[in-house]
């Protein structure tokens, strides 16, 4: 899987569901802020509920996909657009979205909520898939 991050958003992170039973060592649980929404996004693409996701806070990213895959967005509502060549379409939360190589996903204005979750029907355990575009 390879995704080109054109814009990172305000606080976009890659959390999983944290570590439980480590408070006695001084380690907080951490993990996603809205486990229900993150679980839903994962279920929509066929992942285990605790699979890592992108947690998108307040201002969303702009992502270009370099290969076809399925994704799902849940949680906070953004004006979500998929750009495919000359065409653009508005997307909704809580459904599987089929992405083609070359598509760009844009999180526009936030409508409601604070955190959205983007799940991929792919493994996020290693971060070689992430490509940052630092050009201005």
């Amino acid at each position: 899987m390879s995704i080109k991050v054109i814009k990172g958003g305000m606080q976009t992170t890659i959390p999983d569901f944290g570590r439980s039973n480590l408070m006695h060592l001084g380690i907080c649980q951490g993990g996603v802020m809205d486990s229900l929404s993150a679980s839903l996004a994962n279920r929509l693409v066929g992942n285990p509920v605790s699979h890592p996701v992108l947690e998108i806070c307040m201002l969303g990213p702009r992502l270009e996909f370099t290969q076809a895959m399925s994704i799902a967005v849940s949680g906070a509502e953004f004006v979500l657009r998929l750009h495919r060549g000359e065409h653009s379409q508005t997307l909704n939360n809580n459904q599987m979205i089929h992405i083609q190589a070359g598509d760009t996903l844009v999180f526009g204005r936030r409508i409601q909520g604070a955190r959205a979750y983007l799940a991929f029907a792919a493994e996020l355990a290693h971060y070689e898939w992430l490509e940052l575009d630092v050009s201005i």
Side-chain angles (χ1 to χ4, degrees), residues 8-33:
M10 187 164 128
Q11 294 178 353
T12 304
T13 59
I14 308 172
D16 56 16
F17 280 66
R19 316 289 173 274
S20 59
N21 302 321
L22 296 175
M23 284 297 288
H24 68 285
L25 298 173
I27 300 171
C28 67
Q29 179 169 342
V32 298
M33 293 294 289

Side-chain angles (χ1 to χ4, degrees), residues 3 5 11-15 32 38 41 51-57 61 63 65 72 74 107 115-120 124 129-130:
I3 300 168
V5 178
Q11 294 178 353
T12 304
T13 59
I14 308 172
V32 298
H51 203 69
V53 292
L54 284 189
E55 184 175 66
I56 298 152
C57 183
L63 306 171
F65 294 82
S74 66
F107 284 78
R115 289 175 178 80
Y117 295 89
L118 173 58
F120 306 92
L124 290 181
W129 57 269
L130 187 64

Side-chain angles (χ1 to χ4, degrees), residues 13-129:
T13 59
I14 308 172
D16 56 16
F17 280 66
R19 316 289 173 274
S20 59
N21 302 321
L22 296 175
M23 284 297 288
H24 68 285
L25 298 173
I27 300 171
C28 67
Q29 179 169 342
V32 298
M33 293 294 289
D34 179 353
S35 58
L36 181 62
S37 293
S39 298
L40 175 59
N42 270 324
R43 279 295 186 204
L44 287 167
V45 295
N47 290 339
V49 295
S50 60
H51 203 69
V53 292
L54 284 189
E55 184 175 66
I56 298 152
C57 183
M58 306 298 278
L59 294 172
R62 176 183 291 254
L63 306 171
E64 182 181 321
F65 294 82
T66 58
Q67 70 184 64
M69 70 179 70
S70 295
I71 64 168
V73 178
S74 66
E77 292 181 49
F78 286 80
V79 175
L80 192 60
R81 302 216 34 96
L82 182 67
H83 298 276
R84 181 173 288 158
E86 299 290 322
H87 304 285
S88 177
Q89 72 181 79
T90 301
L91 303 173
N92 295 314
N93 280 10
N94 304 324
Q95 64 183 12
M96 185 183 292
I97 302 162
H98 300 287
I99 300 291
Q100 296 178 8
D103 286 355
T104 300
L105 181 65
V106 178
F107 284 78
R109 177 181 58 85
R110 186 175 52 86
I111 300 168
Q112 177 180 331
R115 289 175 178 80
Y117 295 89
L118 173 58
F120 306 92
E123 181 64 48
L124 290 181
H126 303 287
Y127 302 110
E128 302 88 39
W129 57 269

